[in-house]
């Protein structure tokens, strides 16, 4: 589908997908079907021969998936050019979850004997996929602090089996940021590809393709959907040949496809991405400042604070500070538990990027599967609390935090 030129993000999310359909439905129809009919054997043969495999069998594609995919493609390539100065074209593959999309990303790029290099602060599921699944498939993972660019260069020189660098920036839940552009320059010098988990920043704040990334990944379950109503994952690439052959093969044969109802929910959710993100970002600054000034708080991790160790990188590559923060109370884990239990407006739940504020405790929840010494080294201490700030009215968030902090 050729890309339409829109100036703003909201127009992209509202008008990129082709909504034309036989029954004039205004919203994208939910094509709840496993298979698609052929008028004749010749017609079936034509559809099999064509590059567009979306009207054959739903594991291969479905028009509802296509509407979600083209919108995400337009978001991640919005305003970007390729080396020839033409509009950048990228390809997205929608999956059943972030983990399914990440499996396609890793397995289409790595085989037994290859090595994956990543930063040591990662989403728990990503690290577990690397160390518990890839390891059994003969793919090694090296985790280093890739903010040390000298160490990155040496590691790449010394390990010729590294084929992919996977970055997550800002990282969930430590909010560490890594310099996508500098890392891509070093990686490409060594002929190594780079993928970026853009879940926390979203294309509203950060476009990894503009900074040299080869692949972009999203848990679309989070800010892209925005309402916590379904799971989805997306893998995008700018090597269209690779996406249509290697990535597509793993996607279709591992069977990690989405379903039409969830794809519909994603399409509906993305329509308000820009206005949600504006409010998420505005509220997060206010909450971060509130917590920072509160006497019960030891430390706040927020990419908008000049004291954040990666503040300069965050400023360089994101339009605004990310709408996610984590913090530690002076009273440690006990105070943290009392605080979380006393919340009345904020929701106690894992996940992030929903319209309501979510509060979780990584050490006992999302990062429970990572050994304690390791997670502490990465910055996930026992008392760390993570907050995904929603779009509630700020006065209600501040009074909820005030009353809960008074009870610790
Ligand atoms: C949630 C999340 C994932 C995994 O996605 P699922 O949709 O839960 O499978 C990967 N990376 C990050 C940063 C996440 O927050």
């Amino acid at each position: 589908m050729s890309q339409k030129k829109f100036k703003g993000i909201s127009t992209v999310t509202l008008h990129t997908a082709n909504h034309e359909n036989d029954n004039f439905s205004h919203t994208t129809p939910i094509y709840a079907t496993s298979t698609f009919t052929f008028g004749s054997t010749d017609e079936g043969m034509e559809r099999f021969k064509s590059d567009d495999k979306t009207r054959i069998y739903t594991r291969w594609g479905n028009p509802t998936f296509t509407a979600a995919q083209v919108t995400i493609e337009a978001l991640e390539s919005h305003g970007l050019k390729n080396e020839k100065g033409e509009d950048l074209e990228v390809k997205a593959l929608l999956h059943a979850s972030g983990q399914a999309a990440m499996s396609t990303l890793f397995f289409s790029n790595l085989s037994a004997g290859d090595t994956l290099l990543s930063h040591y602060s990662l989403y728990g599921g990503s690290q577990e996929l690397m160390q518990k699944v890839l390891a059994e498939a003969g793919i090694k993972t090296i985790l280093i602090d890739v903010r040390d660019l000298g160490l990155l260069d040496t590691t790449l020189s010394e390990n010729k089996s590294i084929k992919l660098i996977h970055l997550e920036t800002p990282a969930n839940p430590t909010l560490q940021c890594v310099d996508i552009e500098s890392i891509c320059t070093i990686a490409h010098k060594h002929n190594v590809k780079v993928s970026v988990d853009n879940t926390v920043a979203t294309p509203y704040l950060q476009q990894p393709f503009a900074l040299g990334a080869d692949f972009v990944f999203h848990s679309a379950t989070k800010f892209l959907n925005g309402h916590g109503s379904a799971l989805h994952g997306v893998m995008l690439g700018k090597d269209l040949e690779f996406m249509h052959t290697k990535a597509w093969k793993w996607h279709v044969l591992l069977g990690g496809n989405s379903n039409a109802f969830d794809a519909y929910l994603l399409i509906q959710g993305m329509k308000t991405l820009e206005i949600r993100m504006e409010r998420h970002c505005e509220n997060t600054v206010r909450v971060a400042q509130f917590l920072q000034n509160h006497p019960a708080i030891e430390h706040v991790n927020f990419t908008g604070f000049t004291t954040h160790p990666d503040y300069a990188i965050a400023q360089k590559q994101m339009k605004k500070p990310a709408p996610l923060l984590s913090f530690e109370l002076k009273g440690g884990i006990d105070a943290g538990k009392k605080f979380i239990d006393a919340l009345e407006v904020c929701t106690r739940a894992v996940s992030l990027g929903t319209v309501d504020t979510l509060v979780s405790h990584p050490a006992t929840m999302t990062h429970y599967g990572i050994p304690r010494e390791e997670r502490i080294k990465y910055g996930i201490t026992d008392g760390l609390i993570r907050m995904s700030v929603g779009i509630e009215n700020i006065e209600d968030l501040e009074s909820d935090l005030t009353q809960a902090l008074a009870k610790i």
Side-chain angles (χ1 to χ4, degrees), residues 61-82:
N62 176 296
T64 320
F65 303 174
T66 305
Q69 285 173 170
V70 295
T71 302
I72 300 169
E73 288 164 6
L75 281 170
E76 284 293 357
S77 61
H78 185 235
L80 307 186
K81 301 281 180 200
N82 63 18

Side-chain angles (χ1 to χ4, degrees), residues 96-102 122-126 166 168 170-172 197-200 217-222 230-233 324 351-352 386:
S97 66
Q99 291 300 115
M102 201 177 284
L122 281 172
Y123 172 72
S126 310
H166 181 68
E168 181 183 322
N172 166 18
D197 183 335
N198 205 26
T199 301
V200 172
F217 162 88
H218 278 277
S219 166
T221 311
K222 316 293 167 55
L231 268 76
H232 346 251
L324 188 70
S351 197
L352 60 96
R386 201 204 59 193

Side-chain angles (χ1 to χ4, degrees), residues 119-122 144-149 168-180 183 206 299-322 326 377-379:
H119 181 64
Y120 65 13
S121 177
L122 281 172
I144 59 165
D145 186 343
V146 296
R147 292 172 298 184
D148 181 342
L149 299 176
E168 181 183 322
T169 180
N172 166 18
T174 60
L175 280 312
Q176 286 178 11
C177 297
V178 301
D179 185 336
I180 300 172
I183 293 167
Q206 172 175 283
H299 175 71
V300 181
N301 296 314
F302 174 53
T303 54
F305 286 154
T306 52
T307 50
H308 185 286
D310 308 320
Y311 176 75
I313 298 172
Q315 285 284 307
K316 179 180 153 192
Q317 63 194 19
M318 287 195 290
K319 209 164 20 171
K320 292 176 188 178
S326 56
K377 196 172 86 195
Y378 308 148

